[in-house]
């Protein structure tokens, strides 16, 4: 894979993503728009009794819901604003279900903040983010979460607790690969390399984080930290984040989403400042490879949301880079197997289970081969019948 100029990774490896794009200009702050119809359930749920509803306006935009600014008046006569959205990271005042709505619609009412610069200043923002990662504490001391969280409308594997970060990430990535296949169809080359990443590359890069005396802390992460899920509060000047899909994870997993050149957070000033506040995990020399591995999970989820993009190819390119670096022989064999499929039994793991997709692929391949064989036999029978019929006619014509 050829590299674009200036796309080399910081540590000099060849794992930098090809096809870097120029960062777009600054993000315009959200605007107050036209009137917004508020469900009566929301009006009955204000946290301060006696609050009078004055008006509601569309505010900014959301890819997965609707957002509004609610103007209200407290019993004291003081004006107060609320932010209305499906989800937000700030602790909500109230949440619930609309009384009349099809399909089912849920609301969340939170503190209203005037959104300023997106993303925020790299120094302040990365310091606050690193502080969250450092000071958060998993209630079980393990990786995972107490409930299922979502990346936009996609569920994540979070409602579990794992001692091994490698194991949890493997399950996360496998889940996204499965969702991708369900929504976008099978791609044999992609599936073959996915299996190699899950079976070989994930344990090769992540197990060393928790072996030979090394350890990593389960950190509370945002889980979907990109430009427009971050902002500077125009009233306080402080950075804040929202629309989270949280869990307790390796802190570097959070930064995997910043690798994509479509994000302004990919600017090296954010990454450098974050590293100053939270040192790289050992083995340090594999930071860039881990970052590329983590980015695959985010990019694949984004492709599922936007199937018309080229992100699936980008994910394949990233996986191939990692496999070339760590398992070149296995990659070559996997690619040959795709080009020249042969009958083979699915390989079993030590616990007797099979790798994601292998059993399904083999079963599907067997079914396809059976169908093709039956079709070929039917075609042969038709040809034989046709030839027999043709021969009879020739014979009759010859004897008349």
């Amino acid at each position: 894979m050829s590299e674009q100029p200036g796309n080399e990774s910081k540590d000099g490896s060849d794992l930098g993503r090809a096809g870097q794009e120029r960062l777009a200009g600054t993000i315009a702050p959200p605007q107050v728009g036209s009137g917004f119809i508020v469900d009566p359930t929301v009006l009955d749920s204000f946290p301060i009794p006696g609050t009078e509803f004055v008006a509601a306006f569309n505010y900014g935009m959301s890819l997965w819901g609707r957002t509004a600014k609610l103007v209200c008046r407290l019993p004291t006569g003081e004006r107060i604003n609320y932010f209305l959205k499906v989800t937000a990271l700030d602790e909500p005042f109230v949440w619930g279900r609309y009384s009349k709505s099809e399909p089912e619609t849920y609301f969340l009412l939170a503190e209203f903040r005037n959104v300023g610069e997106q993303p925020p200043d790299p120094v302040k923002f990365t310091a606050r983010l690193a502080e969250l990662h450092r000071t958060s504490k998993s209630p079980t001391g393990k990786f995972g979460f107490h409930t299922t969280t979502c990346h936009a409308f996609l569920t994540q594997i979070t409602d579990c607790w794992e001692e091994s970060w490698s194991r949890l990430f493997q399950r996360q990535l496998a889940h996204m690969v499965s969702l991708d296949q369900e929504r976008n169809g099978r791609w044999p080359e992609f599936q073959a390399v996915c299996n190699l990443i899950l079976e070989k590359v994930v344990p090769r890069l992540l197990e060393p984080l928790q072996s030979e005396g090394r350890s990593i802390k389960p950190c509370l992460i945002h889980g979907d930290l990109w430009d427009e899920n971050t902002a500077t509060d125009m009233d306080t000047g402080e950075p804040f984040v929202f629309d989270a899909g949280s869990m307790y994870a390796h802190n570097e997993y959070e930064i995997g989403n910043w690798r994509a050149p479509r994000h302004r957070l990919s600017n090296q000033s954010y990454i450098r400042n974050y590293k100053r506040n939270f040192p790289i995990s050992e083995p340090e020399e594999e930071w860039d490879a881990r970052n590329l591995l983590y980015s695959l999970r985010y990019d694949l989820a984004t492709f599922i949301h936007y199937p018309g993009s080229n992100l699936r190819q980008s994910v394949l390119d990233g996986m191939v880079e990692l496999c070339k670096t760590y398992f070149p022989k296995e990659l070559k064999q996997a690619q040959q197997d795709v080009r020249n499929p042969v009958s083979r039994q699915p390989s079993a793991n030590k616990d007797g289970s099979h790798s994601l997709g292998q059993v399904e692929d083999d079963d599907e391949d067997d079914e396809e081969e059976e169908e093709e064989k039956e079709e070929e036999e039917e075609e042969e029978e038709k040809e034989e019948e046709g030839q027999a019929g043709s021969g009879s006619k020739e014979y009759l014509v010859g004897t008349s």
Side-chain angles (χ1 to χ4, degrees):
M1 178 183 300
S2 60
E3 289 286 338
Q4 297 289 333
N7 188 35
E8 298 80 8
S9 59
K10 188 179 178 184
D11 62 2
S13 71
D14 62 350
L15 295 174
R17 181 67 58 82
Q20 294 281 348
E21 306 161 4
R22 287 183 178 273
L23 295 177
T26 57
I27 300 172
Q31 301 296 312
V32 175
S34 58
F36 187 97
I37 298 175
V38 182
D39 189 86
T41 311
V42 179
L43 303 180
D44 294 336
S45 303
F46 292 130
I48 301 175
T51 298
E52 178 188 354
F53 171 70
V54 177
F57 305 94
N58 283 287
Y59 181 74
M61 64 165 288
S62 170
L63 298 175
W64 320 117
R66 294 182 299 156
T67 53
K69 177 180 181 179
L70 273 59
V71 181
C72 302
R73 186 177 294 109
L74 298 177
T76 60
E78 179 186 358
R79 176 173 286 193
I80 185 172
N81 297 326
Y82 290 113
F83 175 75
L84 182 66
K85 193 178 182 183
V86 175
T87 58
L89 186 61
D90 295 83
E91 182 177 356
F93 294 126
V94 290
W95 66 273
R97 178 180 169 183
Y98 270 25
S99 57
K100 297 178 181 179
S101 179
E102 288 294 339
E104 291 185 6
T105 301
Y106 293 83
F107 71 89
L108 181 145
L109 195 66
E111 176 188 3
F112 182 85
R113 294 195 176 194
N114 283 307
V115 173
E117 184 182 11
Q118 293 183 281
D121 171 76
V123 176
K124 276 188 176 182
F125 173 64
T126 56
R128 291 290 299 276
L129 179 64
E131 181 183 10
L132 169 67
H133 291 166
R134 278 196 317 271
T135 59
S136 57
K137 186 176 180 180
S138 167
T140 64
K142 299 178 182 179
F143 300 95
F145 211 55
H146 64 280
T147 189
T148 298
T149 60
C150 296
H151 182 154
F153 57 76
L154 301 177
T155 59
Q156 303 185 117
I157 302 297
T158 55
D159 57 336
C160 59
W161 295 105
E162 293 279 1
E163 293 273 6
S164 167
W165 164 242
S166 176
R167 173 61 180 154
L168 181 58
F169 178 77
Q170 189 178 49
R171 293 179 65 186
Q172 280 274 4
L173 184 57
H175 175 61
M176 284 299 159
V177 171
S178 180
L179 290 178
D180 169 65
Q181 185 169 310
E182 288 175 13
R183 294 173 183 268
N184 301 306
R186 296 178 65 243
W187 181 8
E189 182 182 1
F190 187 82
Q191 187 64 52
V193 182
C194 281
N195 286 335
L196 192 53
I197 288 287
L198 292 167
E199 293 174 9
K200 300 286 188 180
V201 176
V202 170
R204 165 61 187 83
L205 285 175
L206 302 189
E207 286 182 0
L209 294 167
Q210 294 177 281
S211 62
E212 299 181 7
R214 304 184 192 98
S215 65
I216 53 173
K217 171 185 177 290
C219 301
L220 181 63
I221 65 166
H222 177 282
D224 187 18
L225 208 53
W226 67 290
D227 306 341
E228 294 190 38
N229 282 349
T230 70
T232 301
D233 188 314
M234 292 180 66
D235 298 322
T236 66
E238 292 299 316
F240 70 104
V241 295
F242 43 93
D243 283 358
S246 295
M247 64 174 165
Y248 290 91
H250 182 208
N251 67 294
E252 291 178 9
Y253 174 62
E254 187 95 277
I255 314 305
N257 203 21
W258 300 4
R259 191 179 186 94
R262 64 183 178 274
H263 298 324
R264 292 163 184 81
L265 287 168
S266 66
N267 188 300
Q268 283 297 313
S269 62
Y270 288 95
I271 298 171
R272 281 196 302 266
N273 278 286
Y274 179 81
K275 288 179 180 179
R276 291 187 182 117
N277 290 284
F278 204 122
I280 297 172
S281 300
E282 295 182 353
E284 291 187 29
E285 65 274 11
E286 293 181 351
W287 183 90
D288 190 66
R290 293 193 299 267
N291 184 252
L292 175 53
L293 178 65
Y294 292 153
S295 75
L296 302 177
R297 153 64 182 79
Y298 289 106
D299 283 351
L300 189 55
T302 304
F303 173 72
I304 297 172
H305 292 132
Y306 300 101
S309 69
N310 67 347
L311 279 172
R312 205 184 198 193
Q313 180 65 52
S314 180
V315 171
L316 176 61
D317 293 343
M319 292 192 298
V320 167
E321 286 187 35
L322 287 169
C323 291
K324 277 183 178 179
T325 301
Y326 295 101
F327 296 97
K329 292 181 181 179
E330 291 85 347
L331 173 64
K332 186 176 181 181
Q333 184 61 54
Q335 291 172 331
Q336 287 177 349
D337 289 345
V338 171
R339 288 192 292 268
N340 305 298
V342 293
S343 259
R344 61 185 185 278
Q345 294 296 322
S347 59
N349 297 324
K350 292 180 181 179
D351 61 359
S353 64
H354 292 84
S355 301
L356 172 78
Q358 277 195 326
V359 176
E360 294 177 349
D361 286 353
D362 290 341
D363 289 344
E364 289 176 7
D365 289 341
D366 290 341
E367 291 174 3
E368 290 173 1
E369 288 174 8
E370 290 267 343
E371 292 174 358
E372 290 174 1
K373 188 175 180 180
E374 290 175 0
E375 290 174 359
E376 288 174 1
E377 290 176 351
E378 290 176 1
E379 287 294 328
E380 289 176 0
E381 288 175 1
K382 290 179 180 178
E383 289 177 4
E384 288 174 359
E385 291 173 359
Q387 289 173 359
S390 176
S392 298
K393 288 179 181 179
E394 288 175 357
Y395 175 77
L396 290 171
V397 169
T399 56
S400 60

